[in-house]
Amino acid sequence: MKIAVFSTRPYDREFLDHANEAAGGRHAFSWYEARLNANTANLARGHDCVCAFVNDQLGAEVLEILAGQGTRLIALRSAGFNNVDLEAARRLGLSIGRVPAYSPDAIAEHAVALILSLNRKIHKAYARVREGNFALEGLLGFDLKGKVAGVIGTGRIGINVARILKGFGCEVLASDPFETPELTQIGGRYVPREELLARCDIISLHCPLTPDTHHLIGREAIRTMKPGVMLINTSRGAVMDARAVIAGLKSGRVGYVGLDVYEEEEDLFFEDLSEQVIRDDVFVRLMTFPNVLITGHQGFFTREAMTAIAGTTLANIGAFEETGTPLHPVPVERRG
């Protein structure tokens, strides 16, 4: 198949090329650094498949352009698909494939890395020591052992976070509308979300973005939390209301924030903006807090995860070529 790959970085090309070689080199790639949107969709003209990433725009307008140019498959290099207009895809006869799981360990470990770095002020200590400052004032942390940690969303990533935190000696509480026995098997306990918010010293978010989870962490939720709570988000940016979190930081209700995602990250993450003025005032305000640590959506970025993403993406494309259905389809049929 002819495949147009958008939002391409050198590492994408490396891993997709390797996966294609493993599949016999049967596919032809066109590589585009540009993000997919209404202005760039014409680059995919003549391609059977468009391979897109998390910040590519796949709304109705873009899908109509792609379908009109001959595209039949959208192969997502991600698990999430909230950037896709599924109703428009159904109407246009487009198939959508995704990567439902690649390395849950990668994101879980990154979430815990944020917890440890915030707690023990690793980012601040690193900067100090490089300047010859070995003073300990301002670097005081706490023992994780005995703390109450909350995991919202107990899919594969959330379960791995819970397992790691249990290893540190935390009491683990969880919230998910679809409970899994594995959580209780590792010593965690499901509780109502309200109890989790009220009791936890650390809350880590691992839920998909849905209408029910949009701004799940907002002003009302923060008001019910323990003073000084640590909030970690490696799921989807819009699960957390950044303005509400800023208010919580200013009041002291929120003691630490670790983010690998951000609601308006589309114009920020995966780009080098070091020579530009960042115009997102909310994001800039977040960065001014000494108890906030932000990484640029790198939780997935391990060699193992990139290998799995590329392999599953090519498996989706190969299955579609042979059967007309990707190996891991996103349902686009009409519901109700």
Side-chain angles (χ1 to χ4, degrees):
M1 292 185 74
K2 293 183 64 177
I3 305 164
V5 186
F6 285 85
S7 297
T8 301
R9 297 294 180 266
Y11 44 81
D12 295 306
R13 185 164 185 166
E14 173 189 348
F15 286 95
L16 285 170
D17 271 339
H18 184 75
N20 192 34
E21 290 172 10
R26 57 197 282 192
H27 304 295
F29 293 110
S30 297
W31 307 100
Y32 301 111
E33 292 186 11
R35 289 178 179 168
L36 177 60
N37 55 42
N39 295 321
T40 61
N42 64 334
L43 294 172
R45 183 178 298 277
H47 291 78
D48 310 291
C49 170
V50 163
C51 185
F53 197 44
V54 292
N55 288 329
D56 288 315
Q57 297 176 14
L58 290 155
E61 181 182 5
V62 171
L63 293 179
E64 287 170 1
I65 295 171
L66 295 177
Q69 296 175 163
T71 294
R72 297 178 292 137
L73 171 67
I74 307 297
L76 301 173
R77 306 193 304 277
S78 61
F81 49 89
N82 54 282
N83 57 332
V84 183
D85 187 327
L86 297 181
E87 174 59 27
R90 182 204 62 78
R91 174 170 50 82
L92 295 165
L94 289 167
S95 292
I96 313 293
R98 69 180 184 121
V99 183
Y102 33 93
S103 176
D105 298 304
I107 298 175
E109 291 169 9
H110 191 78
V112 176
L114 290 173
I115 292 171
L116 292 170
S117 296
L118 279 166
N119 174 28
R120 302 309 300 269
K121 318 295 191 296
I122 301 299
H123 54 304
K124 296 172 69 174
Y126 172 78
R128 283 190 188 186
V129 169
R130 286 177 63 86
E131 295 178 353
N133 179 356
F134 303 99
L136 298 183
E137 285 77 12
L139 302 181
L140 189 66
F142 57 83
D143 290 352
L144 285 178
K145 183 177 181 180
K147 297 299 183 292
V148 183
V151 177
I152 297 180
T154 53
R156 295 184 181 184
I157 296 169
I159 287 293
N160 282 349
V161 170
R163 182 179 293 109
I164 295 169
L165 292 174
K166 283 297 295 183
F168 278 108
C170 292
E171 177 185 355
V172 174
L173 305 181
S175 172
D176 194 307
F178 304 101
E179 298 183 4
T180 172
E182 192 171 356
L183 189 279
T184 55
Q185 289 167 5
I186 63 176
R189 183 164 62 92
Y190 282 105
V191 298
R193 186 186 298 166
E194 294 75 16
E195 180 180 345
L196 185 152
L197 295 175
R199 288 196 55 208
C200 287
D201 303 291
I202 301 164
I203 298 173
S204 194
L205 303 173
H206 303 285
C207 49
L209 179 60
T210 68
D212 289 336
T213 62
H214 182 265
H215 285 185
L216 183 152
I217 302 300
R219 290 180 185 272
E220 183 176 349
I222 290 171
R223 278 197 295 268
T224 69
M225 295 176 186
K226 293 177 67 172
V229 66
M230 179 185 291
L231 299 178
I232 303 294
N233 189 10
T234 58
S235 59
R236 291 292 181 266
V239 172
M240 182 178 285
D241 181 348
R243 288 180 172 82
V245 170
I246 288 171
L249 286 162
K250 291 168 66 176
S251 71
R253 174 68 63 175
V254 176
Y256 313 79
V257 174
L259 303 177
D260 189 50
V261 290
Y262 172 65
E263 185 169 4
E264 304 297 333
E265 70 177 56
E266 180 180 343
D267 294 327
L268 297 171
F269 290 179
F270 308 114
E271 306 290 346
D272 180 359
L273 305 180
S274 57
E275 299 298 323
Q276 301 181 33
V277 174
I278 295 177
R279 300 182 182 277
D280 186 326
D281 292 341
V282 174
F283 186 80
V284 171
R285 183 68 178 100
L286 278 170
M287 291 196 299
T288 66
F289 291 95
N291 48 348
V292 172
L293 179 56
I294 302 173
T295 54
H297 207 140
Q298 71 179 73
F300 74 98
F301 198 52
T302 67
R303 181 164 296 279
E304 292 80 1
M306 291 296 294
T307 299
I309 289 168
T312 303
T313 299
L314 267 291
N316 276 329
I317 294 169
F320 178 83
E321 188 177 36
E322 294 175 5
T323 69
T325 303
L327 187 62
H328 301 285
V330 175
V332 296
E333 69 272 12
R334 186 187 300 275
R335 297 180 180 178

